[in-house]
Amino acid sequence: MKQVYVGMGTDIIHHGHINIIEKARELGEVTVGLLSDEAVTKFSRIPFLEYEERKRILENIKGVSKVVLQRTLDYEENLRKLKPDYVVHGTDWKVGPQKHVRQKVISILGEWGGKLVEPDYTEGISSSGLREALREIGTTPDIRRKMLRRLLSAKPIVRVMEAHNGISSLIVEETKVEAEGELREFDAIWVSSLTDSTAKGKPDTEYVDRTSRIQTISDILDVTTKPIILDGDTGGPIEHFELMVKNMERLGVSAVIIEDKSGLKRNSLFGTEVKQELEDIDVFCEKISNAKKAQVTSDFMIISRIESLIANAGMDEALKRAKAYIEAGTDGIMIHSRKKDGEEIFEFMKEYQKFDYKVPAISVPSSYNQFTEQELIDAGFNIVIYANHLLRSAFPAMKKTAESILTHKRSLEADQYCMSIKEILDILPN
């Protein structure tokens, strides 16, 4: 029989996919190349179902002879291995981030006389459209909570943007750009204590209580589906932090980051301009260890934020704390610095790579923002958090709008700083 190859990445099977499989079955024996999670994230959101779950579904569809792993968006590896007579794909990839993939498929098939067959794209249905519909319905705490660990295993770096209320979280949820042949979006949401406090007009000193912060999280949970990482400040007393972990797990939050400082919390970007007192290592390790024992699921992550460089305690102290926190059971290390050249951050990461056992490393490049995500990947970082940018960008626009109305005694001139009402309504859930 003729051999037919069909590349697929979705976990939401609809009649458009069945049409493709039926066409492929008419041509010969069908092998489905199922895209890995990592490959799917190049042009779409990470699938709801994990690879093995998606594979099992496809193996039980009539007409599919076997399912093989397609590691990347590029078909080359599997095409050269299988040398199919036909590749079948809908016409939708003639435009968009996969069009260069299509051209390469045609070129490779030509080496042995293979053909690309492109049935008309099924109108009125798409996986992305169904995913959007599912987003409108929402997600469950269990699905959302485990998503961060899946992203860490699927992507070279997890891209996280701060949100401080429902509308800013919708921007994080929906903003996408197509660049350099791939679809880019934010993978997760950072609920910052700084921006949450500032949005409420309060100081960033842990003054905003936990009940108020949970309300912000609930507002974000109501309108989004992406995983959430919470800025937990110091975590409070050990007993309070244990309860926080259980609360966040129940809500569906994926991770909490706590900093190893004690006393009145002062924002790290003040550096030594204000008193920055480091917590005793043994006390902080006990906080990590007890909280890990308190959590119910294995999905939830407790991440330790090292403030040694902020407090000018030195590189050796930062590395010493990283090793201690890993031994205590932390799920990640966030190394913080306020120096703009980034040198101490990269020095830390160079030494960190020598550890016998490492956990994911988190970068918050608010100060050293000249470095690209690829440079952070090369240094060994697994997560990048853009920690306060939506709130900071909103302030200038609001201030200009207020000044313009006062200056002109009308709002006409302020229109240049404002979205239209229709654009706002389009962002809000139906």
Side-chain angles (χ1 to χ4, degrees):
M1 291 183 68
K2 298 284 187 181
Q3 296 300 305
V4 187
Y5 187 82
V6 178
M8 284 190 173
T10 188
D11 56 351
I12 305 175
I13 303 296
H14 54 70
H15 60 274
H17 297 119
I18 300 302
N19 290 342
I20 295 292
I21 291 171
E22 286 181 344
K23 179 62 179 177
R25 194 173 63 198
E26 293 172 4
L27 298 170
E29 187 176 63
V30 178
T31 297
V32 171
L34 181 59
L35 270 63
S36 66
D37 284 357
E38 182 177 0
V40 174
T41 60
K42 294 294 184 182
F43 67 95
S44 183
R45 289 180 64 168
I46 191 169
F48 289 107
L49 301 180
E50 297 181 24
Y51 176 83
E52 289 299 327
E53 295 167 330
R54 294 186 284 129
K55 180 182 179 185
R56 187 177 177 189
I57 291 170
L58 284 167
E59 286 174 335
N60 284 277
I61 292 178
K62 182 179 179 181
V64 175
S65 297
K66 61 181 175 179
V67 179
V68 299
L69 172 65
Q70 184 170 317
R71 299 181 188 279
T72 67
L73 199 56
D74 191 329
Y75 282 49
E76 182 172 5
E77 180 183 358
N78 283 1
L79 292 188
R80 294 198 181 282
K81 185 185 299 182
L82 301 173
K83 289 188 167 50
D85 300 285
Y86 300 100
V87 168
V88 179
H89 197 290
T91 54
D92 55 311
W93 69 343
K94 289 184 177 181
V95 296
Q98 293 193 75
K99 60 185 178 183
H100 68 285
V101 178
R102 175 181 179 271
Q103 290 302 318
K104 189 170 183 180
V105 167
I106 293 171
S107 175
I108 294 172
L109 286 173
E111 295 176 13
W112 56 81
K115 294 181 179 179
L116 174 62
V117 178
E118 297 175 299
D120 288 337
Y121 182 71
T122 305
E123 296 293 336
I125 190 73
S126 71
S127 297
S128 58
L130 289 172
R131 277 191 288 269
E132 285 301 307
L134 285 174
R135 190 189 66 76
E136 293 269 340
I137 296 170
T139 186
T140 68
D142 287 341
I143 291 173
R144 191 196 297 254
R145 186 175 53 246
K146 68 173 62 174
M147 194 61 71
L148 181 60
R149 287 193 183 273
R150 288 190 59 207
L151 285 163
L152 280 167
S153 65
K155 301 195 70 174
I157 197 163
V158 178
R159 185 185 295 122
V160 186
M161 173 59 86
E162 73 91 3
H164 47 276
N165 54 23
I167 190 66
S168 59
S169 70
L170 277 170
I171 292 171
V172 180
E173 178 87 7
E174 297 189 354
T175 301
K176 301 176 179 66
V177 297
E178 187 181 325
E180 299 176 328
E182 65 179 17
L183 187 69
R184 294 177 189 164
E185 61 182 311
F186 295 106
D187 302 305
I189 299 167
W190 168 245
V191 182
S192 157
S193 62
L194 168 63
T195 60
D196 194 5
S197 301
T198 304
K200 293 175 170 64
K202 309 295 184 184
D204 181 29
T205 57
E206 293 189 89
Y207 175 78
V208 176
D209 65 25
R210 191 160 296 170
T211 301
S212 180
R213 298 212 63 202
I214 287 175
Q215 182 58 58
T216 299
I217 294 168
S218 295
D219 290 343
I220 293 170
L221 290 169
D222 278 346
V223 295
T224 64
T225 60
K226 294 187 176 182
I228 290 174
I229 303 175
L230 173 67
D231 179 358
D233 290 322
T234 65
I238 291 174
E239 296 81 4
H240 291 188
F241 185 51
E242 292 174 15
L243 290 173
M244 177 197 285
V245 167
K246 290 185 176 181
N247 288 340
M248 294 305 107
E249 268 194 300
R250 185 168 61 251
L251 288 171
V253 171
S254 294
V256 61
I257 297 181
I258 55 168
E259 59 193 71
D260 57 355
K261 289 194 295 194
S262 63
L264 177 66
K265 185 262 176 93
R266 300 301 299 270
N267 191 281
S268 297
L269 296 182
F270 281 122
T272 53
E273 295 172 21
V274 298
K275 186 177 182 181
Q276 304 276 5
E277 187 173 338
L278 296 179
E279 181 62 273
D280 180 81
I281 292 178
D282 290 338
V283 172
F284 197 75
C285 286
E286 184 182 359
K287 185 178 291 188
I288 296 167
S289 179
N290 284 19
K292 289 303 295 180
K293 293 172 184 175
Q295 72 181 66
V296 177
T297 72
S298 59
D299 304 322
F300 191 77
M301 299 179 68
I302 295 172
I303 297 171
S304 302
R305 170 171 153 178
I306 296 174
E307 294 285 298
S308 301
L309 303 181
I310 294 290
N312 280 344
M315 185 62 63
D316 289 343
E317 178 70 13
L319 292 166
K320 175 183 175 182
R321 286 175 176 265
K323 288 181 179 178
Y325 301 161
I326 291 172
E327 288 177 6
T330 194
D331 298 298
I333 291 291
M334 176 182 148
I335 181 65
H336 207 23
S337 170
R338 68 191 293 261
K339 292 187 177 179
K340 294 184 179 298
D341 59 18
E343 288 184 7
E344 62 182 11
I345 285 289
F346 286 91
E347 181 185 346
F348 174 90
M349 290 303 296
K350 184 178 179 181
E351 295 302 315
Y352 184 66
Q353 298 310 307
K354 299 175 184 177
F355 282 20
D356 292 332
Y357 179 69
K358 297 185 289 293
V359 291
I362 296 88
S363 169
V364 183
S366 299
S367 299
Y368 52 99
N369 58 9
Q370 69 271 33
F371 296 104
T372 66
E373 290 172 6
Q374 187 56 56
E375 288 173 301
L376 296 177
I377 292 169
D378 293 343
F381 284 109
N382 308 99
I383 297 175
V384 56
I385 299 177
Y386 299 100
N388 44 48
H389 294 76
L390 291 190
L391 185 74
R392 284 167 53 200
S393 60
F395 265 43
M398 289 191 290
K399 191 169 186 295
K400 287 178 182 178
T401 299
E403 290 172 346
S404 176
I405 291 173
L406 289 174
T407 300
H408 300 284
K409 296 183 179 180
R410 66 179 186 180
S411 62
L412 175 64
E413 290 77 11
D415 279 353
Q416 61 182 308
Y417 310 122
C418 303
M419 288 180 71
S420 70
I421 296 297
K422 183 181 184 304
E423 287 175 305
I424 290 176
L425 294 175
D426 287 341
I427 291 174
L428 300 176
N430 292 329

